[in-house]
């Protein structure tokens, strides 16, 4: 008899912050039924992924098994959990289940990608239960930095899994449900085989703070400002936007929202009846005519995104609004690791304008949406799982969280992306390793890391590019001289002559000594000319550029 097993497989989000994509399976080996939890994205940078728009988990392994996928569950509406849905759904074609606010955001993602919005199904929080194949799934409300964030309670014939999603212990989050200790205690008393748990803040040793601790300090800051006030935070942090907007109102300022993502989030939360008391806002046109001391802008771009409102304001103006000396700019956010350079670029540009920049260095104007170490320990105590599987964090977070669990007597395993765990027994067991990678959204195209597009783009970015064009006549001889167009390279080299002219003179010499056999073969001729171009560039400017050779041949009459 073939043994049935319960498996867990992260394809993204384990060993990194972002791109969350997890798989649970139950059934005989290689014939399991699956559910997918989240299809998130992470964001590119110019150093490693120039020009790329979004990065998603490579779901090739899952796509090959899509006939056994019973459903896709989205825990909440942050981009690193729902951002890939519209782009990846067509490869999986399984029904999608979310709570109401998340479903509204997920539907927008599907519409934007041209996918069928009727595949989005709205499910209520527990005790509502969805039965799919061998799984019974409930959405478990948790407090986070946006409304209706949820964990998942997944019941299988092999036991119950609690997948926390992103969570914090906030009894007064402002918007969304407060953390319900009694609910989690009851879940624990009913038995939890495996707790698959957020690890983001495992290195933060103090208990997490509530959103309710922020209004007083933010209001004082805004009230005491003299010029225009601008504040940025995560667009999805609806509770923080509400806190900021109320601070502006209490300080006698009008509020203007700048940035499409921020406007969409506020609109969606209002439509979902989650924002009952958000202060009225003014349009950009109205804001332009207001006294600076009577205005507060809430803007996108807390992570230094170059096209967001914050970055554009730091470069001069955005939609006719600009900053001046004496204005105040508040970062009511944390900087995600890897985004520091982009944020500092904005901070320095604002400083050069004479704008006063305030951030959360002293912990006064931002609280995290993730559980700190004492809060993680409290989750362990409430749910009393037989085993702990850390997720949502870099490898160092997973490892530290596993140590924390082991110290409390729980069986643990470190499972970065691609590590398949068998959770059927008393301890998590590594049973397979899956090739995982990344998919890149580049304009409207999606391609994998092995396709070489990003690698080629980086080579051009690092080394420049030379385009060589040559016409061969009917007799197989060069018709005139080859010409070179240089991109991303110094205009003059050691000889002080234009680089393109030096290259063209060298190509004349090379062609004069090239035999007819090579001249008659485009590939061989291209290789010869590429080598000569690179040799010249190394001598002239110390760079070895990418070279493209275009050979056009005139046909014999």
């Amino acid at each position: 008899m073939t043994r049935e097993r319960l498996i867990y497989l992260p394809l993204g989000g384990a060993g990194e912050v972002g791109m969350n994509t997890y798989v649970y399976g139950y059934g005989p080996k290689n014939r399991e039924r699956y559910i997918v939890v989240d299809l998130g994205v992470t964001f590119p940078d110019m150093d490693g992924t120039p020009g790329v728009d979004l990065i998603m988990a490579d779901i090739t392994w899952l796509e090959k098994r899509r006939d056994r996928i019973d459903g896709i569950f989205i825990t909440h509406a942050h981009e690193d959990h729902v951002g890939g849905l519209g782009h990846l759904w067509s490869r999986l074609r399984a029904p999608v289940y979310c709570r109401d606010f998340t479903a509204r955001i997920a539907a927008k993602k599907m519409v934007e990608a041209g996918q069928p919005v009727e595949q989005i199904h709205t499910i209520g929080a527990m005790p509502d239960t969805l039965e799919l194949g061998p799984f019974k799934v409930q959405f478990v409300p948790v407090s986070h930095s946006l409304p209706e964030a949820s964990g998942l309670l997944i019941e299988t014939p092999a036991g119950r899994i609690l997948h926390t999603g992103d969570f914090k212990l906030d009894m007064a989050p402002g918007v969304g449900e407060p953390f319900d200790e009694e609910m989690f205690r009851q879940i624990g008393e009913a038995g939890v085989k495996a707790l698959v748990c957020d690890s983001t803040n495992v290195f933060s040793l103090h208990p997490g703070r509530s959103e309710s601790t922020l209004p007083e300090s933010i209001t004082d800051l805004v009230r005491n400002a003299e010029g225009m006030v601008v504040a940025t935070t995560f667009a999805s942090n609806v509770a923080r936007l509400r806190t900021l907007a109320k601070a502006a109102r209490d300080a006698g300022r009008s509020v203007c929202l700048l940035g499409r993502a921020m406007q969409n989030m506020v609109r969606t939360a209002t439509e979902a009846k989650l924002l009952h008391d958000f202060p009225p806002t003014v349009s950009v046109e109205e804001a332009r005519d207001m006294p600076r001391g009577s205005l507060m802008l809430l803007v996108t771009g807390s992570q230094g995104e170059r096209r967001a409102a914050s970055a554009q304001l730091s470069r001069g103006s955005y939609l006719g609004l600009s900053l001046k000396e004496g204005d105040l700019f508040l970062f009511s956010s944390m900087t995600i690791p890897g985004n520091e350079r982009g944020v500092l670029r904005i901070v320095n540009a604002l400083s050069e304008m004479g704008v006063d920049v305030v951030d959360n260095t002293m912990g006064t104007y931002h609280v995290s949406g993730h559980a700190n170490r004492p809060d993680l320990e409290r989750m362990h105590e409430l749910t009393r799982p037989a085993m702990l599987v850390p997720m949502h964090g870099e490898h160092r977070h997973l490892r530290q969280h596993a140590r924390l669990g082991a110290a409390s007597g729980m069986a643990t395993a470190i499972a970065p992306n691609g590590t398949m765990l068998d959770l059927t027994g008393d301890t998590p067991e590594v049973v397979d390793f899956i090739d995982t990678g990344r998919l890149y959204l580049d304009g409207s195209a999606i391609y994998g890391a092995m396709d070489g597009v990003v690698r080629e783009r980086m080579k051009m970015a690092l080394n420049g590019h030379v385009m060589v064009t040559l016409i061969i006549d009917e007799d197989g001889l060069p018709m005139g001289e080859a010409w070179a167009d240089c991109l991303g390279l110094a205009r003059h080299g050691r000889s002080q002559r234009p680089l393109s002219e030096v290259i063209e003179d060298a190509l004349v010499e090379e062609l004069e000594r090239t035999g007819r056999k090579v001249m008659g073969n485009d590939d061989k001729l291209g290789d010869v000319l590429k080598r000569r171009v690179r040799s010249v560039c190394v001598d002239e400017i110390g760079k070895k550029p990418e070279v493209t050779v275009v050979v056009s041949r005139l046909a014999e009459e």
Side-chain angles (χ1 to χ4, degrees):
M1 180 177 176
T2 304
R3 181 178 75 91
E4 294 185 324
R5 64 179 187 172
L6 171 62
I7 63 168
Y8 161 75
L9 171 64
L11 296 177
E16 64 196 339
V17 175
M19 208 173 73
N20 294 278
T21 307
Y22 308 94
V23 181
Y24 292 95
Y26 184 82
K29 181 179 179 180
N30 297 326
R31 298 204 304 277
E32 296 94 347
R33 302 297 302 181
Y34 302 108
I35 58 172
V36 181
V37 178
D38 293 332
L39 287 171
V41 300
T42 192
F43 296 96
D45 60 74
M46 287 302 292
D47 290 339
T49 47
V52 169
D53 296 300
L54 292 174
I55 304 173
M56 298 164 283
D58 188 342
I59 58 168
T60 300
W61 182 90
L62 196 55
E63 185 178 2
K64 292 177 180 177
R65 296 158 177 81
R66 71 181 184 186
D67 61 317
R68 289 188 269 139
I69 300 174
D70 289 318
I72 299 167
F73 291 81
I74 307 297
T75 59
H76 64 282
H78 274 147
E79 287 295 300
D80 61 331
H81 293 260
V82 71
L85 177 63
H87 304 296
L88 299 179
W89 184 85
S90 63
R91 302 187 180 204
L92 303 179
R93 298 189 171 276
V96 181
Y97 302 97
C98 338
R99 294 183 66 193
D100 180 55
F101 178 74
T102 306
R104 292 169 185 266
I105 300 299
K108 293 179 190 296
K109 301 292 184 186
M110 294 287 274
V111 169
E112 289 169 359
Q115 302 301 334
V117 72
E118 60 270 17
Q119 291 295 328
I120 305 295
H121 303 276
T122 302
I123 307 298
M126 65 184 310
D128 288 6
T129 303
L130 189 65
E131 295 191 30
L132 296 173
F135 305 98
K136 294 180 181 178
V137 184
Q138 294 177 310
F139 282 92
V140 183
V142 295
S143 51
H144 188 39
S145 55
L146 84 174
E148 293 189 351
S150 300
L152 296 175
L153 187 60
I154 305 168
E155 185 175 339
T156 76
R160 299 202 308 169
I161 296 169
L162 178 57
H163 180 104
T164 67
D166 295 4
F167 79 99
K168 64 182 293 189
L169 272 59
D170 193 339
M171 312 309 175
V175 178
E177 297 113 326
F179 186 79
D180 187 343
E181 281 205 350
E182 183 57 32
M183 179 183 64
F184 281 93
R185 182 180 289 109
Q186 291 176 7
I187 289 173
E189 289 173 351
V192 173
K193 184 178 186 65
L195 177 67
V196 183
C197 191
D198 182 1
S199 306
T200 310
N201 283 357
V202 69
F203 288 108
S204 297
L205 302 183
H206 53 82
R209 293 165 53 223
S210 170
E211 184 71 26
S212 62
T213 64
L214 296 180
E216 184 177 354
S217 58
I218 290 178
T219 301
D220 287 344
L221 179 70
V222 177
R223 183 179 288 120
N224 293 324
E226 295 183 0
M228 186 166 67
V229 176
V230 182
T232 185
T233 189
F234 298 98
S236 56
N237 194 339
V238 177
R240 184 67 44 76
L241 294 175
R242 174 177 173 267
T243 297
L244 291 164
K246 282 191 168 186
R249 182 195 62 192
D250 293 345
R253 292 175 180 263
S254 297
V255 175
C256 180
L257 299 174
L258 293 183
R260 188 167 62 94
M262 193 166 284
Q263 293 167 346
N264 284 342
M265 279 292 176
V266 171
R267 185 184 308 112
T268 302
T270 302
E271 291 169 353
K273 297 181 170 54
L274 295 168
L275 274 180
H276 304 289
D277 54 354
F278 198 88
T281 61
V282 299
S283 67
V284 174
E285 291 76 17
E286 292 171 317
R288 292 188 197 123
D289 296 328
M290 286 185 172
R292 304 180 71 78
S294 302
L295 183 64
M296 181 169 175
L297 308 180
L298 301 184
V299 303
T300 54
S302 67
Q303 300 306 300
E305 302 93 327
R306 294 187 64 85
R307 288 180 289 184
S310 293
Q312 296 201 50
L313 284 170
S314 75
R315 293 196 292 267
S317 67
Y318 181 63
L319 299 179
L321 294 166
S322 58
L323 288 162
K324 295 181 179 180
E325 184 172 357
D327 289 341
L328 175 73
F329 195 106
L330 169 63
F331 281 87
S332 183
S333 57
M334 62 164 285
T335 301
I336 296 172
N339 294 339
E340 295 89 350
R341 289 175 62 184
V343 172
L344 283 174
R345 188 182 299 114
I346 292 175
V347 170
N348 282 312
L350 293 172
S351 180
E352 291 174 7
M353 294 178 182
V355 174
D356 297 321
V357 179
V358 178
D359 60 22
N360 196 51
T361 302
M362 303 304 293
T364 309
Y365 305 112
H366 174 70
V367 293
S368 175
H370 297 270
N372 292 354
R373 185 180 300 186
D375 309 318
L376 292 172
E377 292 175 321
R378 184 61 178 154
M379 177 64 86
H380 300 167
E381 293 168 3
L382 290 170
T383 57
R384 295 179 289 174
M387 60 183 80
L388 169 71
V389 180
M391 64 155 183
H392 201 292
E394 298 170 358
H395 194 279
R396 63 192 179 98
H397 298 101
L398 307 184
R399 189 169 180 233
Q400 186 63 34
H401 197 176
R403 285 176 173 172
L404 195 66
S408 299
M410 288 178 280
T412 65
I414 302 170
N417 295 340
T419 306
M420 182 185 290
L421 295 182
D422 186 337
L423 305 179
T424 315
D426 296 329
T427 60
E429 178 186 356
V430 177
V431 292
D432 204 353
F433 292 98
I434 307 303
D435 287 335
T436 57
R438 299 186 164 206
L439 296 175
Y440 302 111
L441 176 66
D442 191 16
S444 60
I446 295 178
Y447 50 80
M450 300 308 293
D451 291 352
V453 177
V454 171
R455 185 168 58 250
E456 291 171 357
R457 188 172 293 164
M458 288 182 66
K459 285 181 179 178
M460 287 190 286
L462 292 169
N463 301 311
H465 183 264
V466 177
M467 170 76 77
V468 173
T469 306
L470 176 65
I471 299 175
I472 303 294
D473 65 19
E474 299 91 334
D475 298 321
L477 298 174
M479 193 172 96
E481 299 177 353
W483 63 93
D485 292 310
C486 301
L487 295 173
L489 295 167
R491 296 291 182 262
H492 298 79
R494 290 190 178 94
S495 67
Q496 302 302 313
R497 295 174 58 209
L499 179 62
S500 58
E501 291 184 6
V502 178
I503 292 173
E504 289 167 356
D505 288 348
L507 291 176
V508 169
E509 294 177 3
E510 193 66 43
L511 290 168
E512 286 177 349
R513 63 189 187 208
T514 299
R516 280 190 170 270
K517 185 175 182 181
V518 172
M519 195 71 75
N521 186 303
D522 286 356
D523 291 337
K524 291 181 179 179
L525 179 59
D527 290 342
V528 167
L529 299 184
K530 286 178 184 179
R531 283 196 297 269
R532 188 60 188 269
V533 170
R534 289 184 179 131
S535 175
V536 170
C537 289
V538 168
D539 291 341
E540 284 286 311
I541 59 173
K543 300 289 286 187
K544 189 180 290 186
E546 297 301 298
V547 182
T548 300
V549 176
V550 177
V551 177
S552 299
R553 295 182 181 272
L554 301 180
E556 295 183 10
E557 294 183 359

